Amino acid sequence: MKLVTRSQLGWPASAAPTQTSTRGVKVHYEGTEVSTRLLADHDECIAEWKAIRRSHLANKQENYSDVAYNYAACPHGYLLEGRGIGRRTGANGNQDLNRAHYAILGLVGSSGLVVPTDAMLAAIRDGIELLRAHGAGQEIKGHRDGYATSCPGPSLYAWVQKGAPRPAGTGGSTSTPSKPSTGSKAPAFPGRQYFKAGANNRYVTQLGKQLVKKGFGRHYASGPGPRWTEADRRNVRDFQLSKKDLRGDADGYPGPLTWKLLFS
């Protein structure tokens, strides 16, 4: 688990009301546009989380005592502490529903960055398991379960409905940091012909998802897909420029070495 604590964020102890148990955890999303810049730069995730807290503290109508959520999860797999353990959520405004479930926010929205990465899902799962170890019940729900809202959006809610499974290869410990796999083998490079203007195939989707996973998805407007676009090319070029062995041929089109390094 990669945890960023309140002290690391420069925040004092939460002033939210204490609570020792809940029926479980509810998953949330931002419900507004979230910039795809978060995919490329973890500092943008921290800035986003701090901005959410500032906006909540400035909300005089709800009169928040702190950021509304117990935790947030970012595209890079970090669990960001909010109210934390043993604090009542404020995710339902000032309603009694706050007593029923803790709240974890995925840093995705209704436009821009809308599809959670596997690393984000793993971080949400880390938060669920951490809260379960400190009094949360077994329920895993979306915000819309019991409250009239579209939150947590279609992608996160579909995952919640499946039981919020931990993505394969993302670890499962709530007490030690998850370690990257060292023995995985890169899938075979399918060929350059699959990555050119007009291409529409599963390898483009596979490429795009891996770029996002590696933190090189900032040019996507709504996540990777099967159709080769300029956003794919620009994201590949960003990855190539980040690798010394690829900089001399950073044209944005994957070859065997780009593919191997991307999936290593």
Side-chain angles (χ1 to χ4, degrees), residues 30-263:
E30 294 194 47
T32 57
E33 181 177 7
V34 176
S35 174
T36 55
R37 291 194 305 269
L38 272 65
L39 292 168
D41 189 349
H42 178 57
D43 288 343
E44 294 283 349
C45 302
I46 298 297
E48 181 82 2
W49 186 225
K50 289 183 175 181
I52 292 170
R53 182 172 186 265
R54 285 195 301 271
S55 70
H56 286 185
L57 290 175
N59 187 332
K60 301 303 181 183
Q61 181 178 355
E62 300 292 353
N63 196 29
Y64 291 109
S65 61
D66 195 0
V67 65
Y69 310 99
N70 298 92
Y71 291 97
C74 88
H76 308 278
Y78 287 88
L79 186 66
L80 313 176
E81 188 175 18
R83 297 188 176 204
I85 295 168
R87 299 284 180 172
R88 187 183 311 159
T89 177
N92 297 289
N94 57 10
Q95 299 191 40
D96 286 339
L97 281 173
N98 289 323
R99 299 178 184 273
H101 297 84
Y102 287 122
I104 299 178
L105 174 73
L107 294 184
V108 291
S110 55
S111 61
L113 178 56
V114 298
V115 178
T117 63
D118 281 354
M120 181 186 292
L121 299 180
I124 295 174
R125 188 73 209 193
D126 285 340
I128 290 169
E129 292 168 10
L130 179 61
L131 289 166
R132 281 180 172 178
H134 292 84
Q138 296 298 303
E139 290 185 353
I140 303 174
K141 294 183 176 293
H143 189 194
R144 68 178 69 178
D145 295 319
Y147 191 81
T149 175
S150 60
C151 183
S155 295
L156 270 179
Y157 191 59
W159 176 69
V160 167
Q161 288 184 305
K162 294 176 183 177
R166 179 178 292 277
T170 58
S173 172
T174 60
S175 58
T176 58
S178 57
K179 297 179 180 179
S181 173
T182 57
S184 59
K185 184 178 179 181
F189 179 58
R192 298 178 187 272
Q193 69 271 22
Y194 290 97
F195 309 101
K196 60 183 181 180
N200 189 334
N201 58 77
R202 64 185 179 90
Y203 298 114
V204 176
T205 303
Q206 184 181 26
L207 172 78
K209 288 183 176 180
Q210 187 68 6
L211 285 166
V212 170
K213 185 177 180 179
K214 290 284 189 176
F216 292 89
R218 69 188 181 95
H219 297 294
Y220 289 129
S222 58
R227 187 178 299 279
W228 177 259
T229 68
E230 177 64 13
D232 292 296
R233 191 194 69 79
R234 293 172 70 184
N235 286 329
V236 171
R237 186 172 185 273
D238 284 351
F239 174 75
Q240 290 170 331
L241 290 172
S242 75
K243 300 295 183 182
K244 182 179 179 180
D245 294 341
L246 299 173
R247 290 173 191 165
D249 190 28
D251 59 0
Y253 295 96
L257 182 56
T258 296
W259 187 267
K260 179 181 178 180
L261 294 177
L262 181 61
F263 283 90

